[in-house]
Amino acid sequence: MLDNTRNRGFQENLSEPGSASITFQNDDPDLASMVPPNTLINFYADGVLAFTMLAETFDAILLDQGEEANEATVWAGRGHLALFERALVYPSIGVGRRPIEADRAFNWTAIAYDDSAWIAATSICTVFHAKFNPPGDGAWDGGVPEVQWDPTFPDNTALIIWASDGTVSGAGLGDCYFRQTITIPADGNYTLFALIDNYGEVYVDGQLVMSPGQSQALEVGFKTTSKITLEFSAGSHLIAVKGTNAVGTGSNPAGIAWAIFPSDALGNIGSVLDHSSTSSKIVEYATQPPGMTPGKALLLAIIEAQTRAAGDALAFINLLTVSFDAVHDSAGNPWPVVADIATKVGTTLLQFLRELSGTYIDFYMAPGTLTLDCWMLGGRGTTPGVDYHSPTNPNDANTGNLLHHGEKGEA
Amino acid sequence: MRTNSFLVRWGGGWAERVKAASVATVGRMESLLGLGALGSLAEVYRVADGQLDEFARARTQTDVSILPIGSGDTPYVGVHVGDRITVQGVPHRVLGFTVSEDQATGRTLYVPTLNDTVVLDPIERMAQAIAKMIPGTLGGRSKVAQPVVPVAIPRGLVSHQPAVHSFTAHISAGSDDGWKTDNPGLSWQDNTAYLKAGQTLPATPLDDMADSWLRFDMTGAPDFTGVTFDSVILRITLDATQPGGARTTFRLLQDATPRNPTSALDWDSNFTAWGPVNLQYDPLGGSAGSPAGVNGTILDVYLEGLFDYFVANVSGTPAAVLIGHQQGWFGSSNAIYYGLMHYYASEGAHPPELIFTWTA
């Protein structure tokens, strides 16, 4: 009990760390217990544990003409949610990898995404077939130049893949999502080529690298080959593609194809390393991009931080527990599956929480605990039936509990 | 200034989202929204539309300062951050509490934050919003804000400190609890409603209200340990006592261990032996028979005296306050109301301060 302190106060805000401060006389022996950087101070409001401050800064007056009365030390800090600034969102599979992961995606393009429920993509035909379609062989046929795929695409053996209803002459309308893991044998430059009928997006390790057809009236992502040369580090990488069949009927086919080659920095390629195939997994015609829950995204970031701090008994992240899981929030309500959670690599976990609170979650860490509570946005709190009101009896001020009520606003 | 048209920067480039209904009403007002790493245009639209719902309206800030009456409306006891409450009947969500101490009295002051956190100028407001929306580190430690000092609370209306935050009322029940030295055939009415009301004990219909008692079990807050309250005032309201009634005496007793009185001796001996509190007030002069003037009036009885049992009351341990009434005559349609209506404390040179009040 810090009985001799004064000027104690705190400010708790919804889904924010808040702040607090407390003043010690310099001759207060309790001042010696303030050992940065891991000192937490509990604040009680009328006896109820209400706030925990992480002691972060001090302001000491060591000598003053007012002598002991003014010789005091103010310790201030944010709420202990600020501890989440001690861990960052890292690149998906650690540092040192290429391509450099500037953005960390927590969605279907993420390496860590669980695609075990996805099905295998369907092979429609080879790129060679669509490039040089013979007359009478479906929509990519007839020798009609308008529907032939780009003849400059460098890999004739790459498969055009699509949903299970796809053929060379027709497919359904909508968005299909593909994931395929490739293995890069050695660090170096590699060039990725892609074609999509009608258009779409290509991601490498969660990073958007190409948008075939997006700038070409949205229909002709198969007419001009998109390509990009990237540095790859050796090891496993993920090629994720969103394909959209936007203009179609029963006589309008759809498909995606890509191929990756070792190359020099200028894009001069060697032999094909890998290409689109039926080892790709697919979600067919999804109404929204496959995603993950906010709880899953948070747990991924937290678990990764705990893994990095393994064996460190002082690390806050190893003392942390959570009251939610990947499926349910802290109130037991099922999380929504969110299509697209992403943040910059290097974001602190606190900032990641704050970003999520802008659209998805309420978060809180009860004072005196290191347990993170997360609810769906708006989920924290109850409706206790409290009304702050002016006195109901004008002759008895004690029949009201509201002393001041003002409003200001903007036009 | 509100905003109804976003130029959105996202992982795939630029996008635009417009809230048409607002534009039609107030005209186009553009702002920048950075969504950084989002990779799906559909998700960009969803997030941007959510922000437009927030920023296309005129924002208001509600400033209130409160004087909690009981545990139910006391921050961190009956109401918490995130809760939905009303102010003058208008719904709000509690976005925060600022809690500080009055250095003169040591009392706890609460200022809720309601509605929008603050009405900022447009640039600052957008910066605040984008700070949540744009991924990225803070680029260094943020300045630690000092808690805001709440508005002053007028003297005489003093917030409780530290409050008893849990009261459980028990009243005498059954036929003869041992206190009924007179008219033992009479008994209390059904007590169910009284337990709910807590502070009022209407004795209707009742001609001769026999001895009765009301016990409050108080669960003290943890920092009650070592705290001394040296003055307590109990308010009792008599509504129209009957002329000719017997002596009416009220006593405030204390007991370190909550219990019911079990015999008549409790009134005069056992409970008074527990501590210095044995407050007595006889509004009718201590003799049988009431002056007619009392009839038809409401009489407030204030019992005041030393009250220091919390000194011995350790953290979280309930203690009891017993209010006793020793028989009186009342009109058949009249009532006696009694309970711990107000609860004062004083320390040193400070004047008594109301630290607890109970509302009807």
Side-chain angles (χ1 to χ4, degrees), chain B residues 97-186:
Chain B
F97 283 118
T98 299
V99 182
S100 60
E101 292 177 302
D102 184 319
Q103 295 307 309
T105 64
R107 67 193 181 228
T108 306
L109 306 177
Y110 300 97
V111 175
T113 300
L114 307 172
N115 277 8
D116 305 314
T117 302
V118 67
V119 176
L120 303 169
D121 67 72
I123 294 174
E124 191 176 359
R125 189 179 116 199
M126 287 307 300
Q128 188 181 75
I130 290 170
K132 277 197 169 187
M133 298 307 301
I134 289 183
T137 59
L138 297 176
R141 291 194 172 278
S142 61
K143 184 176 183 294
V144 175
Q146 298 297 311
V148 175
V149 177
V151 297
I153 294 179
R155 293 286 177 182
L157 287 174
V158 182
S159 177
H160 61 275
Q161 65 89 17
V164 173
H165 59 83
S166 175
F167 278 79
T168 305
H170 306 270
I171 67 173
S172 58
S175 54
D176 187 349
D177 57 15
W179 279 32
K180 295 179 179 177
T181 55
D182 296 319
N183 301 305
L186 294 174

Side-chain angles (χ1 to χ4, degrees), chain A residues 153-373:
Chain A
F153 188 83
D155 180 15
N156 285 334
T157 63
L159 293 183
I160 297 175
I161 54 176
W162 192 250
S164 52
D165 68 342
T167 68
V168 295
S169 59
L173 293 176
D175 299 329
C176 292
Y177 298 86
F178 303 85
R179 288 167 54 90
Q180 184 173 332
T181 300
I182 62 172
T183 300
I184 297 294
D187 293 356
N189 291 311
Y190 294 81
T191 299
L192 179 64
F193 299 83
L195 291 168
I196 301 178
D197 182 351
N198 294 108
Y199 61 92
E201 297 156 1
V202 179
Y203 298 82
V204 175
D205 294 347
Q207 312 301 296
L208 179 65
V209 294
M210 291 186 286
S211 301
Q214 293 278 28
S215 61
Q216 298 163 311
L218 304 182
E219 296 183 22
V220 289
F222 59 99
K223 296 293 292 180
T224 304
T225 297
S226 298
K227 70 173 183 179
I228 188 169
T229 299
L230 300 167
E231 278 188 85
F232 276 81
S233 54
S236 293
H237 295 267
L238 178 75
I239 307 295
V241 180
K242 174 188 176 186
T244 300
N245 191 26
V247 182
T249 63
S251 61
N252 178 38
I256 68 142
W258 55 263
I260 187 167
F261 295 75
S263 69
D264 60 23
L266 298 177
N268 299 310
I269 60 175
S271 300
V272 63
L273 173 67
D274 205 343
H275 54 220
S276 50
S277 70
T278 53
S279 66
S280 274
K281 289 189 166 184
I282 183 174
V283 169
E284 301 179 350
Y285 305 119
T287 55
Q288 68 172 17
M292 65 176 68
T293 66
K296 174 71 173 178
L298 269 175
L299 287 174
L300 276 175
I302 290 171
I303 291 170
E304 289 172 6
Q306 289 173 333
T307 301
R308 294 192 299 273
D312 182 349
L314 294 177
F316 148 74
I317 201 71
N318 284 336
L319 305 175
L320 177 71
T321 59
V322 298
S323 61
F324 60 93
D325 58 29
V327 180
H328 296 95
D329 73 3
S330 292
N333 296 315
W335 288 112
V337 175
V338 176
D340 202 348
I341 296 174
T343 191
K344 290 289 185 189
V345 170
T347 297
T348 67
L349 291 191
L350 175 61
Q351 180 65 8
F352 189 37
L353 282 164
R354 296 178 72 217
E355 289 168 12
L356 290 173
S357 75
T359 44
Y360 302 124
I361 68 170
D362 286 348
F363 67 95
Y364 173 65
M365 195 153 66
T369 77
L370 293 175
T371 299
L372 179 66
D373 301 318

Side-chain angles (χ1 to χ4, degrees), chain B residues 17-34:
Chain B
R17 294 304 280 175
V18 176
K19 193 171 184 65
S22 175
V23 171
T25 304
V26 299
R28 184 181 178 96
M29 300 178 183
E30 298 177 341
S31 287
L32 170 69
L33 179 66

Side-chain angles (χ1 to χ4, degrees), chain A residues 368-384:
Chain A
T369 77
L370 293 175
T371 299
L372 179 66
D373 301 318
C374 287
W375 303 267
M376 286 187 289
L377 188 65
R380 181 184 171 190
T382 62
T383 304

